[in-house]
Amino acid sequence: MVEQVSPALARRIALSAQGFGRPRPAVVGTRQLNGLVDRLGVLQIDSVNVFERSHYLPAFARLGAYDRTLLDRLTFDARGPHTEYWAHEAAFMRKEDWPLFAWRMREYRERYGGPGSWFDVNDDTVEWLRGELAANGPLVAGEIEHDANHRTGPWWGWSEVKRALERMFLFGEVAVAGRMRFQRRYALTEQVLPSGVLDRTVSEEDAIRELLRRAAVAHGIGTARDFADYYRIKGPRVGVALQELEDAGDLIPVRVPGWESAGRPVAAWMHRDARKPRQVEAAALLSPFDPVVWYRDRALRMFGFHYRIEIYTPAPKRVYGYYSLPILIDDALVGRIDLKSDRQAGVLRVQSAWTEPGAPPATLDRLLPLLDETASWQGLESVTVAEGARGDLAPLLADALRPGVGFGT
């Protein structure tokens, strides 16, 4: 008989698997940050910096304030334990996990590097780049562009250089050796990855199964699409691997009331080691690219939270704001807030703030100290609500933040 898990317990299982509800460490060092990346598997990268770049936020949400330069050493330093690949979207991941994506690299080469492709037609460009990286790598694209500008003979623009580098990155021929001013530093894989990693081979079947197992660990509980989306795996191989994991006892079939599609229950599994906490105490601002919400269908099914990022929506058509962050209080997503770090003024600016239907009355009281902690972590002196800020929560925040009220003064 399939075990039944209530929707509330499913939320707690999922949040616990993601590292919420645990005591925060007194000091956040490299050990805690490494442990977080191990738990999540990946940190998705995004360049938007109006509040804070996305990959810094999951650690703050789970561990509290920390020194971002420590995470930089782990992710931006070529000697660190991490590199980048398209593991979910562009993401930081352990160097040792590189062989698990060899199948994806082969698929990308077949799609973008076959006979007659741009990569094939521009073989001279690619060969020159190989030589340039072998002699001088790691390099950012701009440094290679500089050499190309001074190269005798035919010249291709920066766009061709960048395009070739990105193709080589997709194919696994080039790896990222950290970043400089947030720009990727490209190198040949042998310049970045240890020989033990480069020499290790993993079959496609084993890699898919292992990635789905890790997705199940990171999610705690979920559907086939939930687990598949974690590492963006598609096709019938997902079902095959999940059945193998179920047969091996790694996954336990469960049913969650309300998890339905077209009026029918959706098949779901729980990882055998998933914790089932009776409660989850948490107060956090989530990145739009946090694993809790990055698969929007799961956020809606699990939390009743309809979430769309509005960066690419014209300003007059935005509902919640440019970079709206989900607000997690305990085991519920209770609202969303659009923040801007105004570093020149030393202020964390609330551009809009909204509550979700059914948000508990204590939402404001839980959010205020979180905003205070967030501002301090950003090196800002205070929190303020922008004039004309939209949302039902904005005026309540503005009143609470007025000088003399006792917060943000």
Side-chain angles (χ1 to χ4, degrees), residues 118-304:
W118 181 93
F119 192 79
D120 179 52
V121 171
N122 290 274
D123 184 62
D124 288 347
T125 303
V126 174
E127 279 299 323
W128 183 82
L129 282 170
R130 288 178 180 130
E132 190 75 0
L133 290 174
N136 303 308
L139 297 167
V140 299
E143 292 171 322
I144 303 174
E145 176 200 15
H146 176 80
D147 288 346
N149 270 315
H150 293 84
R151 177 174 175 260
T152 59
W155 174 79
W156 52 89
W158 179 87
S159 60
E160 280 84 9
V161 169
K162 179 70 171 176
R163 187 174 183 180
L165 287 169
E166 286 297 310
R167 288 288 187 267
M168 296 164 78
F169 176 47
L170 288 177
F171 304 162
E173 184 176 346
V174 158
V176 174
R179 290 188 174 229
M180 183 172 69
R181 295 187 294 275
F182 208 67
Q183 298 178 69
R184 283 174 172 159
R185 300 178 72 240
Y186 297 92
L188 300 177
T189 52
E190 57 265 30
Q191 295 172 321
V192 178
L193 302 176
S195 58
V197 171
L198 290 173
D199 294 341
R200 186 161 62 93
T201 60
V202 182
S203 71
E204 178 177 339
E205 294 77 11
D206 289 347
I208 296 292
R209 185 171 56 252
E210 174 60 15
L211 290 172
L212 287 170
R213 186 195 67 79
R214 294 185 183 196
V217 171
H219 267 331
I221 189 171
T223 67
R225 289 187 176 181
D226 293 343
F227 298 155
D229 180 76
Y230 208 87
Y231 291 104
R232 294 292 168 87
I233 303 169
K234 299 179 180 179
R237 54 194 171 184
V238 172
V240 172
L242 290 178
Q243 186 61 59
E244 291 173 347
L245 290 168
E246 181 182 331
D247 293 343
D250 290 277
L251 297 183
I252 301 168
V254 295
R255 180 178 177 273
V256 183
W259 286 20
E260 297 179 344
S261 177
R264 295 183 177 181
V266 176
W269 293 264
M270 180 173 61
H271 191 266
R272 65 182 179 189
D273 297 329
R275 295 176 66 241
K276 301 179 184 178
R278 293 185 177 181
Q279 63 179 17
V280 170
E281 281 192 34
L285 304 177
L286 303 183
S287 159
F289 310 110
D290 190 290
V292 172
V293 295
W294 67 18
Y295 184 38
R296 308 312 192 203
D297 289 352
R298 176 177 170 88
L300 181 60
R301 180 183 351 103
M302 182 164 284
F303 298 98

Side-chain angles (χ1 to χ4, degrees), residues 386-405:
E387 185 176 350
R390 292 183 299 162
D392 64 298
L393 190 53
L396 300 177
L397 281 170
D399 286 345
L401 293 167
R402 278 187 296 110
V405 172

